[in-house]
Amino acid sequence: MCGIVGYIGNKDVLPILMDGLKRLEYRGYDSAGVAILDEGKIKVIKQVGKIAALETELNGNSTSGKMGIAHTRWATHGEPNQVNAHPHTDESGNIILVHNGIIENYNALKKMLVSKGHTFHTDTDTETVAHLISEFFQNGTSFEEAFRAALNEIDGTYGIAMITKHEPEKIYCARKGSPLVIGVGEGENFVASDASAIIAHTRNVIYLEDGEIAIISREGFVTKTIDNKTVTKRIEKISFDLERIEKAGYPHFMLKEIHEQPDTVADAMRGRLIEEEGVAKLGGLTPILHNVLRARKIFITACGTSYHAGLVGEYMLEQYCRVPVEVEYASEFRYRDPIIEDDNLVVVITQSGETADTLAALREAKRKGTTVMGLVNVVGSSIARETHGGTYIHAGPEIGVASTKAFTSQVAALTLLTLMIARTKAMSAEEGRSIVKEMKTLPEKVAQALKTDETVKKIAEEFKEKRNFLYLGRGYNYPVALEGALKLKEISYIHAEGYPAAEMKHGPIALIDEDMPVVVIATRDSTYEKIVSNIEEVKARKGRVIAVVSEGDDKLDKLVDYTIPIPMTRDLLQPIISIIPLQLLAYHIAVLRGCDVDQPRNLAKSVTVE
Ligand code: G6P
């Protein structure tokens, strides 16, 4: 949520900042701004709307500045307009900063600062920080002391990058709850909220931890805690390539990411399946292996799409490992004081590794003394670093705000976890081998499912103007119904609800008429006959049914309006295939309705506020 990029070096800063902002735009896009230090003067240029609007504003604005900071915003405090866009400054205009996160006590701080004569110009919480630093600086302290003193007064979360005329050769950075990465170059250094903003320039990074600050200059950087204790940081290498964060000829990142799934599903399993033994091996769990294998209860906690993957995980872990599983939204888990015992396991699932509620849920679980494992996509993210052990899903950077490839990779990784645990319990080697064998066919089956694109496009054309959709599924396909509905509402702004098919009779059936498209996942599995009865119930009320069916199953052809045939697989793996046409359906409907698929209104890729 929101994006930060900053640079200090000997190159023209503006193109570096603008390129970084474009790569971060998926994190926030209601306004953007830059601050550049040029010949002792700081120029601030901001604009409401997308980065392209800022670019237009910057046209003809020449600068030879070699250092600066920039921000793309997802509004929390104050409406998205030019004044509220970052960067924000203190009274004198000498202290300029960009901020991700929320300053929770900004009202109290603002009151205090106003009483001391500060005048505020924006509705943001961020402006308070600039004034606060200047307040401490007036008291005759060094600039660094003022910076640290101000941070000590702040409750809430922040990732901050700040420049100041008082020390024109430095960028001050700080992190608490909102990620910041320092990019280490030669004669130049970078700061960003996300490595994708700087990977075109350097692969050497350090990740700041909560409570740490970094002061970067052309020649190097200093890292310490806000209490002034020096910390030595390890330089890490970013492993993904630039191509992975570009569109590669696709009109949208979302479509590119949908089509990457044969590869990303393969990547999630790569090197982790041992076919002869019918088992999976997850190296990242080694330090906590005993607790993972022997957990007497498993909690899965996550948000959004990751939560839906967690629901699939619940079904498979209970079925094959015979261990009770509870899946809960992280926002609920963190506050409701769940009963967690020492011999339980908490699994946090997150694509970004930065979701504020998930991070807080993880910390709450650790506080209660239980083992916490992560299922994370972004390497080096906060959640990846704070868990006791974990598994990367290796889906590569996901830029489209609507999560697609992360879901299938999360489900694949959950299957690996299930296999690993189940084989130490009742699952036979033969059963394990059969699952492993089937898992190896998944990339090909996903590729096959992507071939439904043309059929799905036609369906999208017919239904694109509908105002409501219902998605139904049973068993393993129930979470798929939830995820399909989420995809549609996220990017097309059509109201959509997912339901367990049988539950339809307890409410949603009242909505069904000839105007109501009902998407039913009716693949051939143990619940097939039951779901056919549910389809009959919809048709009896003149509902329009789009059924995702198993290839070769023509039984439903006459009953429903459209069928989308997809390859069959074992029940626990079916969600990886069934979700594909639903992702495509949401995509095509949104495109046909003229929606901005990669940057849907009001949503952010990484939700770092609670
Ligand atoms: C946001 C994104 C969703 C994502 C959810 C959880 O709402 O728009 O696509 O599923 O956050 O994010 P995480 O990174 O924790 O998986």
Side-chain angles (χ1 to χ4, degrees):
M1 208 161 257
C2 304
I4 289 176
V5 58
Y7 172 79
I8 180 163
N10 294 311
K11 297 184 188 135
D12 273 346
V13 68
L14 194 55
I16 295 173
L17 296 183
M18 292 309 288
D19 179 60
L21 282 183
K22 282 182 199 157
R23 295 193 189 281
L24 291 174
E25 194 167 25
Y26 69 102
R27 295 181 62 106
Y29 32 80
D30 60 49
S31 50
V34 295
I36 292 171
L37 199 115
D38 188 10
E39 291 176 352
K41 293 201 180 91
I42 298 183
K43 265 194 199 164
V44 179
I45 300 143
K46 319 199 258 192
Q47 188 49 280
V48 71
K50 300 197 170 175
I51 308 297
L54 177 66
E55 226 166 15
T56 312
E57 181 75 17
L58 283 164
N59 269 345
N61 237 310
S62 67
T63 165
S64 53
K66 309 282 190 249
M67 69 175 282
I69 51 175
H71 188 263
T72 176
R73 179 172 186 244
W74 186 91
T76 60
H77 292 63
E79 65 174 88
N81 57 28
Q82 196 171 9
V83 173
N84 289 335
H86 298 218
H88 292 294
T89 74
D90 71 326
E91 199 88 37
S92 65
N94 290 339
I95 295 172
I96 301 192
L97 56 86
V98 290
H99 160 233
N100 290 353
I102 290 180
I103 310 299
E104 284 170 3
N105 59 339
Y106 86 101
N107 259 326
L109 291 172
K110 193 168 172 176
K111 228 179 192 169
M112 177 273 285
L113 289 161
V114 168
S115 76
K116 288 182 182 274
H118 293 257
T119 311
F120 283 72
H121 301 283
T122 78
D123 307 319
T124 64
D125 51 337
T126 302
E127 191 186 355
T128 324
V129 185
H131 288 276
L132 194 61
I133 297 169
S134 86
E135 179 62 28
F136 279 107
F137 191 52
Q138 284 172 25
N139 295 340
T141 53
S142 74
F143 194 79
E144 186 196 316
E145 277 168 335
F147 184 66
R148 285 190 285 100
L151 296 176
N152 265 319
E153 296 299 314
I154 294 174
D155 292 336
T157 54
Y158 53 77
I160 290 172
M162 191 212 61
I163 57 176
T164 172
K165 275 194 218 159
H166 302 297
E167 293 191 0
E169 298 296 314
K170 289 173 184 167
I171 302 179
Y172 278 80
C173 314
R175 169 195 164 134
K176 186 181 159 209
S178 226
L180 268 194
V181 54
I182 307 297
V184 184
E186 276 181 26
E188 58 182 8
N189 287 303
F190 305 79
V191 57
S193 52
D194 177 331
S196 62
I198 53 175
I199 185 192
H201 309 286
T202 179
R203 287 174 171 279
N204 295 330
V205 296
I206 59 164
Y207 295 100
L208 286 191
E209 300 291 339
D210 280 355
E212 289 179 354
I213 65 169
I215 304 164
I216 64 174
S217 59
R218 282 182 180 80
E219 301 74 37
F221 58 87
V222 177
T223 44
K224 45 175 78 176
T225 65
I226 62 173
D227 305 321
N228 203 20
K229 293 196 185 79
T230 304
V231 277
T232 311
K233 305 291 292 184
R234 197 162 54 93
I235 296 182
E236 300 183 36
K237 273 241 173 312
I238 303 172
S239 58
F240 61 85
D241 296 326
L242 199 54
E243 300 88 73
R244 298 208 70 174
I245 52 171
E246 284 171 351
K247 281 191 204 153
Y250 284 94
H252 298 100
F253 280 112
M254 181 181 177
L255 190 62
K256 175 187 174 229
E257 287 157 7
I258 290 174
H259 281 275
E260 278 175 356
Q261 289 175 109
D263 293 333
T264 50
V265 167
D267 290 343
M269 303 185 296
R270 196 176 306 287
R272 291 168 162 178
L273 289 170
I274 308 170
E275 193 165 349
E276 320 76 74
E277 294 170 37
V279 75
K281 188 171 171 285
L282 295 168
L285 297 183
T286 309
I288 51 169
L289 197 57
H290 177 82
N291 298 11
V292 171
L293 297 179
R294 290 290 154 252
R296 295 176 69 85
K297 179 172 182 179
I298 298 176
F299 290 88
I300 300 179
T301 186
C303 304
T305 291
S306 301
Y307 170 81
H308 294 153
L311 290 175
V312 179
E314 174 187 23
Y315 279 51
M316 58 175 84
L317 285 161
E318 289 208 343
Q319 179 178 353
Y320 292 98
C321 307
R322 310 312 299 160
V323 57
V325 179
E326 218 175 285
V327 189
E328 191 155 26
Y329 286 117
S331 53
E332 289 299 311
F333 183 92
R334 63 180 288 193
Y335 286 120
R336 78 171 175 93
D337 199 13
I339 302 167
I340 308 176
E341 311 284 350
D342 290 356
D343 56 4
N344 293 170
L345 171 71
V346 173
V347 182
V348 291
I349 307 180
T350 170
Q351 186 286 126
S352 62
E354 303 294 349
T355 303
D357 282 321
T358 312
L359 184 56
L362 140 73
R363 288 178 180 161
E364 181 64 13
K366 278 174 89 175
R367 200 170 295 128
K368 290 188 184 297
T370 195
T371 306
V372 184
M373 71 160 273
L375 222 73
V376 181
N377 190 32
V378 177
V379 175
S381 55
S382 306
I383 293 177
R385 283 177 290 126
E386 289 198 26
T387 44
H388 295 116
T391 297
Y392 282 121
I393 62 169
H394 297 311
E398 192 181 61
I399 311 283
V401 169
S403 183
T404 52
K405 62 176 179 172
F407 176 78
T408 43
S409 296
Q410 285 163 346
V411 175
L414 282 161
T415 315
L416 298 172
L417 179 67
T418 301
L419 256 185
M420 198 182 88
I421 301 175
R423 285 285 289 115
T424 65
K425 298 188 171 181
M427 186 185 283
S428 66
E430 199 188 342
E431 171 80 330
R433 275 196 290 273
S434 136
I435 293 178
V436 170
K437 212 163 160 210
E438 187 57 26
M439 288 184 79
K440 291 196 164 169
T441 69
L442 283 175
E444 179 48 38
K445 288 184 175 172
V446 172
Q448 215 38 46
L450 285 166
K451 294 191 180 146
T452 58
D453 194 52
E454 277 308 308
T455 313
V456 172
K457 219 186 232 169
K458 284 193 196 108
I459 299 172
E461 191 67 62
E462 176 161 349
F463 291 96
K464 64 178 190 288
E465 300 301 342
K466 299 292 179 200
R467 295 306 309 141
N468 298 289
F469 271 70
L470 190 60
Y471 285 69
L472 302 177
R474 296 181 80 117
Y476 283 100
N477 282 324
Y478 157 52
V480 176
L482 297 180
E483 176 60 9
L486 177 65
K487 288 293 87 88
L488 187 68
K489 74 182 119 185
E490 278 180 317
I491 57 170
S492 72
Y493 321 137
I494 293 173
H495 170 243
E497 279 191 74
Y499 259 88
E503 191 63 19
M504 174 185 68
K505 325 188 246 317
H506 301 289
I509 200 163
L511 302 171
I512 293 174
D513 59 17
E514 60 280 5
D515 217 28
M516 177 72 148
V518 183
V519 180
V520 187
I521 306 127
T523 48
R524 284 269 181 184
D525 58 27
S526 53
T527 64
Y528 180 72
E529 293 305 334
K530 307 249 177 253
I531 208 145
V532 173
S533 310
N534 299 134
I535 293 175
E536 299 272 10
E537 289 156 13
V538 174
K539 287 314 291 180
R541 283 151 188 93
K542 298 198 169 52
R544 310 283 312 280
V545 174
I546 303 156
V548 177
V549 300
S550 298
E551 267 165 8
D553 179 11
D554 51 13
K555 183 173 162 185
L556 292 175
D557 287 358
K558 288 208 172 63
L559 183 61
V560 305
D561 299 78
Y562 287 98
T563 57
I564 308 174
I566 56 164
M568 248 188 104
T569 181
R570 291 181 65 120
D571 286 16
L572 81 160
L573 303 175
Q574 193 66 58
I576 294 175
I577 315 291
S578 323
I579 192 60
I580 304 288
L582 304 191
Q583 295 170 342
L584 289 169
L585 182 64
Y587 173 79
H588 287 303
I589 291 180
V591 170
L592 289 166
R593 288 167 65 88
C595 303
D596 188 341
V597 171
D598 283 332
Q599 291 165 1
R601 70 182 184 208
N602 305 341
L603 298 179
K605 182 70 190 156
S606 175
V607 182
T608 48
V609 296
E610 72 166 290

